[in-house]
Amino acid sequence: MHRFLLDERSNFEGTSALLSPALQRHLKAARVSASETFILSDPETGKAFECVLDPATRGRALVQKPVTLVGTGPVEISLALGLTKAETLETAVAGATELGAARICLFSCGRSPPVKARLDRLEKIAAGAAEVAGRKSPPVLEGPISLEELAKTGLGADRKFILWEESGARGRGASLYKLLREGRPAPKVTLVTGPEGGFSEKEVDALVAGGFECCSLGPRILRAATAPAAAIALVQGVWGDLQ
């Protein structure tokens, strides 16, 4: 069944939903027929309903019954994503959204390329990924901030992990999986992944000084686009709802 998020120009009105021109085009592109049931959800309230298009009024859908969509799970996961190439950021944001990240914060570091992050573009990608995954709402996107600010705030998490591919070889920490298995579940977790080329040891030291735990994803070196999804999947599999 197709799932769609209401945009800022759409809203529920009692037993029907007003559809903006953009959302109408979205339904048309998805080839939703006049008799086909689909799900509309309001990211502001988290409420969702099965609906059908109103045959009598263009731009309106008729509400049939409420449905329950998935949230972010028992662990609130924040992903701190090192600024990198646009296509890499887009892949990482989509995967993190599908796997239940509640918050995605971009930050700059030494090996980040001189690019400007287009939050509006990333927000659209996150919204589309949330629809695919059946989420109540997409994650909050913010930044970019500096690595120093990230080290200072930790994005308000109870446990904070920096994923560094060299941590095992340099004896700087265990695997993320081991730390999760040996620890008690935390309500809020921050995961930090870097750009292509990773972090310098100085940057790792700054984050560790801020209370982050240095760890790896095991023996494999993952790309900047796929490492965030792997890390979130581990947290969701051990402490969350991916079980």
Side-chain angles (χ1 to χ4, degrees):
M1 186 181 297
H2 289 290
R3 295 174 290 272
F4 303 94
L5 295 176
L6 293 179
D7 57 25
E8 64 276 2
R9 297 184 62 188
S10 306
N11 61 279
F12 287 115
E13 297 178 339
T15 58
S16 64
L18 178 65
L19 309 178
S20 70
L23 187 51
Q24 291 177 56
R25 290 193 295 270
H26 194 13
L27 268 71
K28 185 177 181 179
R31 298 183 179 180
V32 175
S33 66
S35 60
E36 185 177 356
T37 302
F38 57 93
I39 294 174
L40 278 179
S41 61
D42 186 345
E44 295 294 327
T45 64
K47 293 181 179 179
F49 300 89
E50 284 189 7
C51 301
V52 293
L53 292 172
D54 187 343
T57 307
R58 182 180 178 184
R60 189 173 293 276
L62 303 177
V63 172
Q64 294 189 320
K65 63 179 181 180
V67 295
T68 301
L69 298 181
V70 67
T72 57
V75 181
E76 183 180 312
I77 301 173
S78 295
L79 171 66
L81 189 58
L83 276 177
T84 186
K85 296 183 296 184
E87 59 267 29
T88 301
L89 288 177
E90 292 172 5
T91 300
V93 165
T97 300
E98 291 177 25
L99 286 162
R103 180 183 185 186
I104 300 174
C105 180
L106 306 180
F107 71 96
S108 59
C109 54
R111 291 172 182 160
S112 293
V115 296
K116 290 184 178 180
R118 289 188 54 191
L119 282 182
D120 57 340
R121 166 71 177 164
L122 294 177
E123 286 171 348
K124 290 180 180 178
I125 288 171
E131 290 177 348
V132 170
R135 283 186 56 163
K136 295 178 181 179
S137 59
V140 175
L141 267 78
E142 57 191 25
I145 63 174
S146 66
L147 185 138
E148 291 74 21
E149 185 176 351
L150 175 61
K152 183 178 180 180
T153 67
L155 304 183
D158 304 292
R159 293 285 297 273
K160 302 170 289 185
F161 303 98
I162 171 174
L163 282 300
W164 191 38
E165 68 274 9
E166 299 181 40
S167 63
R170 299 198 185 191
R172 292 293 299 268
S175 70
L176 176 61
Y177 178 73
K178 183 177 181 180
L179 292 175
L180 295 171
R181 285 293 302 270
E182 293 178 352
R184 297 180 61 184
K188 297 181 180 181
V189 169
T190 292
L191 300 169
V192 180
T193 64
E196 283 90 350
F199 299 109
S200 68
E201 190 159 8
K202 183 178 179 181
E203 289 171 330
V204 173
D205 289 340
L207 289 168
V208 169
F212 284 81
E213 301 170 67
C214 187
C215 57
S216 72
L217 288 170
R220 295 175 181 81
I221 305 299
L222 302 185
R223 295 184 301 166
T226 53
I232 295 171
L234 280 173
V235 175
Q236 293 285 41
V238 180
W239 288 353
D241 60 2
L242 197 64
Q243 298 177 4

